[in-house]
Amino acid sequence: MKGIIEQAFKGNTDWWRYIVGFFVIFFIWQIGSSIQGIFVYLKLVQEGLKADEILAKLSDMEVLMTTLESNFNFFLLLLGFVFGFGGVVVVIKLLHNLQLKQLITSRTHIDWKRIGLSFGVIAGLLILSVLLDYKLSPTDYQLNFKLQRFLILALIGIVMVPIQTTFEELLFRGYLMQGFGSIFKSRAVALILTSVLFGGLHVFNPEVAKLGYQALIVYISTGFFLGIVTLMDEGLELAIGFHAGNNLITALLVTADWTAFKTHSVFRYLGEPSLVSDVYIPVLIFYPILILIFSGIYKWKNWKQKLFGKIEQTK
């Protein structure tokens, strides 16, 4: 079985195609993302603000995140990723002559059981960790549950969060991983570059503004974790399940004033973020444990070759 990166050689792998393709995907993604800004602009116009005042406010992330009703804003935030997902599908078909499956897995078929298992593992860990923290520090939490608002949130989240997270996996662990791998012929280079770029994507997240640039450690490390899982398992299924479970359960279960998703979740966290609990524990404890769990379940072997080996061009 050829590896996940080697799937790229079934199509067109000219270096310029990946540059053009990335910018096309990014452009389509940003078109979708701009819709939220348009609605915020219209809302501020409705409130009687002048054009120069509105433009000044639109540069404030807090204004962008809080001007519109929470569920509607959540929907608009995720809508941009739907556009991005479509951009990936168009680019790999027209520029690279590949099928979507070849971006996702080296197996004959997409392994939905892997996606489900990974989703379930991270969902269970998140729920247990929040409930444990709630038990230990109840004053840090406020019950935020309103049935009607939560049901709308759940509907939006269940439909659109998996699209958002799958788009990010297709772009980073799929398209760019295959692109860097086919260009540099090195799995290690592909892993490093995609992980750093993935971390950089989150530089404007509110968590980074709150904790400082050290918070990027967790995003870059998440990129490495998902990249390692993808290369060892020769497919995106585990990464797709993990990413969807992490974002969906987080959006539904707990929100805070300093998080990217401000939602009508079950709980509202009143405490302050911590580098120890929010950065170092996931990076140094959770991710290594998850890698060991997945490795044990799927009997991963040839670690050196799969993570650091050369890539041979084959059709």
Side-chain angles (χ1 to χ4, degrees):
M1 179 180 70
K2 295 183 176 66
I4 183 63
I5 292 180
E6 287 80 3
Q7 296 300 304
F9 297 123
K10 295 180 179 179
N12 302 314
T13 57
D14 309 276
W15 62 268
W16 62 266
R17 293 179 188 271
Y18 285 102
I19 294 176
V20 172
F22 174 78
F23 281 106
V24 169
I25 293 168
F26 186 80
F27 180 71
I28 295 173
W29 175 18
Q30 294 310 301
I31 288 176
S33 298
S34 68
I35 295 174
Q36 185 222 12
I38 292 171
F39 274 94
V40 172
Y41 180 89
L42 293 174
K43 177 68 173 178
L44 294 175
V45 168
Q46 189 180 48
E47 293 177 357
L49 274 69
K50 297 179 181 179
D52 56 339
E53 295 175 317
I54 293 174
L55 291 176
K57 283 183 173 292
L58 288 177
S59 63
D60 186 342
M61 184 64 70
E62 184 69 17
V63 172
L64 287 173
M65 294 297 105
T66 59
T67 297
L68 302 173
E69 192 278 326
S70 178
N71 279 334
F72 184 50
N73 191 64
F74 188 52
F75 169 79
L76 292 176
L77 278 175
L78 297 176
L79 186 60
F81 296 96
V82 177
F83 277 68
F85 188 101
V88 171
V89 174
V90 169
V91 163
I92 63 168
K93 180 63 177 177
L94 298 184
L95 263 181
H96 298 276
N97 195 29
L98 287 172
Q99 300 174 8
L100 186 61
K101 183 190 80 69
Q102 291 163 334
L103 210 62
I104 296 174
T105 189
S106 60
R107 285 169 273 275
T108 306
H109 299 93
I110 295 172
D111 191 337
W112 293 97
K113 289 183 179 179
R114 273 175 157 84
I115 295 174
L117 182 139
S118 185
F119 182 100
V121 167
I122 187 58
L125 283 174
L126 284 173
I127 292 170
L128 286 174
S129 64
V130 169
L131 292 179
L132 178 61
D133 193 44
Y134 177 72
K135 181 72 173 178
L136 295 174
S137 307
T139 57
D140 284 343
Y141 291 86
Q142 180 183 71
L143 188 63
N144 192 50
F145 183 76
K146 299 289 189 295
L147 180 60
Q148 184 177 358
R149 290 178 175 179
F150 179 80
L151 290 176
I152 295 171
L153 169 67
L155 178 62
I156 295 169
I158 290 169
V159 172
M160 298 188 69
V161 167
I163 297 175
Q164 175 240 329
T165 54
T166 300
F167 160 67
E168 291 187 13
E169 291 310 309
L170 289 174
L171 179 59
F172 288 95
R173 260 64 64 181
Y175 188 70
L176 292 178
M177 184 79 81
Q178 289 186 354
F180 289 132
S182 63
I183 292 169
F184 295 105
K185 303 297 188 293
S186 168
R187 285 177 165 246
V189 170
L191 173 61
I192 292 169
L193 290 178
T194 54
S195 301
V196 172
L197 285 173
F198 180 75
L201 174 71
H202 297 84
V203 70
F204 296 113
N205 276 29
E207 294 90 339
V208 177
K210 188 72 173 179
L211 286 169
Y213 287 112
Q214 289 184 74
L216 288 175
I217 294 172
V218 76
Y219 293 115
I220 294 172
S221 298
T222 300
F224 273 104
F225 164 70
L226 294 172
I228 290 169
V229 167
T230 295
L231 291 177
M232 289 305 304
D233 202 51
E234 297 293 8
L236 270 67
E237 291 99 333
L238 293 176
I240 287 172
F242 175 92
H243 204 158
N246 180 77
N247 286 27
L248 179 59
I249 298 303
T250 300
L252 295 179
L253 194 57
V254 62
T255 189
D257 292 339
W258 43 266
T259 56
F261 288 159
K262 295 176 175 62
T263 62
H264 293 300
S265 56
V266 176
F267 294 108
R268 182 166 175 259
Y269 185 70
L270 304 177
E272 290 295 314
S274 162
L275 284 172
V276 173
S277 60
D278 295 304
V279 176
Y280 298 122
I281 288 179
V283 170
L284 299 177
I285 298 177
F286 284 164
Y287 290 167
I289 289 174
L290 286 171
I291 288 174
L292 289 175
I293 290 172
F294 292 143
S295 174
I297 293 173
Y298 297 110
K299 312 299 181 186
W300 291 343
K301 298 177 181 178
N302 302 322
W303 288 72
K304 183 177 179 180
Q305 171 59 32
K306 288 190 174 184
L307 296 181
F308 304 104
K310 293 291 184 181
I311 296 168
E312 296 182 4
Q313 182 167 350
T314 57
K315 286 290 185 181

